[in-house]
Each structure stands twice: as structure tokens, then as C-alpha cells.
Amino acid sequence: MNMVFVFMKTQLKTYLNKYVQFTEQEIDIIFNHLIVENFKKKEFLLPQNAICKRRYFIIEGLVRLFYIDANGVEKTVLFGVENWWITNLDSFVKEIPSEKMIQALENTVVLSITREELEKLYRLVPKLERAFRKITENMLISIQRKDEVFMKKSSRERYSNLIRQIPDFANRVPQYMIASYLGISPEYLSELRKQD
């Protein structure tokens, strides 16, 4: 196995072992069911109206989950960085077309898996299902916290919270996308950034 794959496998192992302890053999089985994919900046992992057929573990890079509203305005729902799983869960589980899109904001390397392969892995490595349950619970808690922050905090506090969660985030993401995620105008975000 070349050094790049060793690095990716080690990164995945470190991540999964935060949730459940896996043996080296189990990690090998999991890794061998994943596909390495490379996406160039601005390339879509999931185009609009496609069925989301994969779950993506981000090895390197940055992506966003977004949709276009009735007025034709892009609305960013979620950003994904290194060591995060991203998918459109609704489309992935129900096998229905996705209104949301996933786009690489930087050149991005992911490990991906289909639903069928994931189900197969759950049978081969039963601990993985428990790990994914915990990962999904954490994701739902994160969404709930985001909603609470958005209801209770000022725009400035929401921006500060986002920057604390993802280091170097402001330098990696275009300002209009951050503004879209925070539900504010790019001009107002510019004012907030000047105050920092």
C-alpha cells in the first residue's frame, strides 16, 4: 500500500476510533470498501436533482451543501471540512432526487461509499453501525445547536461561533457563502469582519 493510502487509512482510523474502538483488521475491511475520489474546486459531488448515491468522508478539502431558493438565490446549509462525513441524508436513504447540491470549494479528496456497500460493511463489521449511529447523533445535535444559535444569538455571535468551530474558515470560503450560511448580507458580514 502506498504512503498516500496509508495516510488516508490512518486518518479514517483515528476518526472512527473516537466513536468505537476498531481492530486493525476491521479498519482494513472498512477502508477496502471505500473509494478514493478527487474533486476539483467548484466541481459537484452531488448535482441538483441527482439521487445522492454516496456518503463522503473528507480527507482533504472543503465542500458545501446548498440549494437555490424560489428567487434563484443560493442558500448554504452546511460546510464540510477535513474529517467530516457529508451527504444529503434524505436523498441517500430514501433514494430520491436531491434539491440540495454538494460542491467542492477547494480541490477535495474524499473516501466515499454507496448505501449498498455501507449495509454490507455493517454486516462484516457490526461495530461500524454503532459508530455511524453516534456520528449521526452528533450531526443532529450539531444541527440543533446551530438552530438554537441562530435563534438566540446576534449575527456577530453567529459569525464568531462559526470561526471558532472551523479554523482558517474565513480565509477558505468566499464571503458571500459565509453570509448566505449566516443568513445575513455580504455587506453586513464585511462590517463584522472589520470589527474583528
Side-chain angles (χ1 to χ4, degrees):
M1 187 180 285
N2 73 33
M3 289 307 295
V4 173
F5 286 126
V6 170
F7 169 78
M8 289 180 189
K9 190 168 86 167
T10 302
Q11 189 173 339
L12 179 70
K13 176 184 172 183
T14 302
Y15 174 83
L16 289 175
N17 280 339
K18 289 190 303 187
Y19 298 96
V20 177
Q21 288 302 304
F22 292 91
T23 66
E24 205 59 48
Q25 183 184 12
E26 289 168 332
I27 292 294
D28 285 341
I29 292 167
I30 294 166
F31 188 77
N32 289 332
H33 280 77
L34 296 165
I35 294 171
V36 177
E37 294 188 72
N38 293 281
F39 294 93
K40 292 190 178 352
K41 183 178 180 176
K42 296 188 178 180
E43 193 175 348
F44 285 89
L45 289 72
L46 174 65
Q48 188 175 26
N49 297 321
I51 294 173
C52 187
K53 295 191 178 287
R54 308 191 85 77
R55 244 178 137 145
Y56 302 97
F57 179 71
I58 304 168
I59 292 289
E60 181 182 318
L62 173 69
V63 302
R64 69 172 173 148
L65 178 72
F66 74 105
Y67 67 96
I68 298 172
D69 72 11
N71 298 320
V73 177
E74 291 182 2
K75 299 288 186 181
T76 300
V77 177
L78 181 72
F79 292 102
V81 293
E82 292 84 2
N83 298 313
W84 287 19
W85 284 95
I86 193 160
T87 192
N88 179 337
L89 204 53
D90 188 34
S91 177
F92 182 76
V93 171
K94 295 179 183 173
E95 298 181 332
I96 57 174
S98 173
E99 290 182 15
K100 295 182 181 81
M101 296 161 267
I102 301 174
Q103 182 184 38
L105 300 181
E106 299 173 347
N107 291 339
T108 299
V109 180
V110 298
L111 297 174
S112 76
I113 190 163
T114 64
R115 192 164 169 245
E116 295 76 19
E117 287 296 308
L118 189 54
E119 291 295 333
K120 195 185 296 182
L121 269 179
Y122 288 159
R123 289 189 296 276
L124 291 170
V125 185
K127 285 190 245 177
L128 186 65
E129 192 162 14
R130 189 164 74 244
F132 264 104
R133 179 178 50 82
K134 291 180 177 184
I135 291 164
T136 303
E137 285 171 354
N138 282 352
M139 184 183 71
L140 292 171
I141 289 166
S142 176
I143 290 167
Q144 194 171 12
R145 282 192 184 143
K146 176 195 167 200
D147 290 345
E148 289 168 5
V149 165
F150 273 50
M151 286 188 295
K152 296 176 183 173
K153 305 285 185 186
S154 69
S155 298
R156 178 170 192 62
E157 290 169 318
R158 293 194 312 254
Y159 174 70
S160 297
N161 191 51
L162 180 64
I163 299 308
R164 264 195 320 275
Q165 285 180 339
I166 308 173
D168 297 327
F169 186 72
N171 299 327
R172 296 175 72 182
V173 178
Q175 190 167 307
Y176 79 92
M177 289 182 193
I178 297 174
S180 165
Y181 177 77
L182 295 172
I184 59 177
S185 71
E187 295 76 19
Y188 185 56
L189 177 59
S190 185
E191 289 300 313
L192 291 177
R193 291 178 76 169
K194 283 179 193 167
Q195 294 167 23
D196 276 345

